[in-house]
Amino acid sequence: MMYNYDTVTEAIQGLKQRGYSLDFNVQVEKECLICHAPALNLSADDFRIDEVYRFEGDSDPGDEMVVYAVSSDRHHAKG
């Protein structure tokens, strides 16, 4: 089921309520997702993208953001 959110903050709060509690960031040099607490590095084979939410700025294209909901069965992680 896909949810609709009006803002990035709403999306992050909604995902956290549904168990996506970790904060992953892309680490380009290592081609992986990284989480600092707990320490996790996920390669492309270690996770799947469950949902994607795109947000556009009203006047500045530089304000565009994308929120991904990812999960890893192997590491029992969602973020």
Side-chain angles (χ1 to χ4, degrees), residues 13-76:
Q13 288 174 344
L15 290 167
K16 282 184 178 181
Q17 289 174 351
R18 293 188 287 125
Y20 292 88
S21 58
L22 300 178
D23 184 17
F24 289 103
N25 292 292
V26 175
Q27 188 163 27
V28 177
E29 310 83 51
K30 293 185 179 181
E31 297 181 351
C32 68
L33 292 182
I34 188 168
C35 178
H36 295 288
L40 284 174
N41 288 346
L42 303 180
S43 68
D45 293 334
D46 288 334
F47 70 92
R48 71 176 172 272
I49 298 172
D50 299 326
E51 301 172 29
V52 178
Y53 299 98
R54 297 182 191 281
F55 300 92
E56 296 181 13
D58 290 334
S59 59
D60 184 357
D63 289 341
E64 293 179 4
M65 294 189 106
V66 180
V67 175
Y68 295 92
V70 299
S71 60
S72 172
D73 292 335
R74 179 183 295 170
H75 296 280
H76 307 287

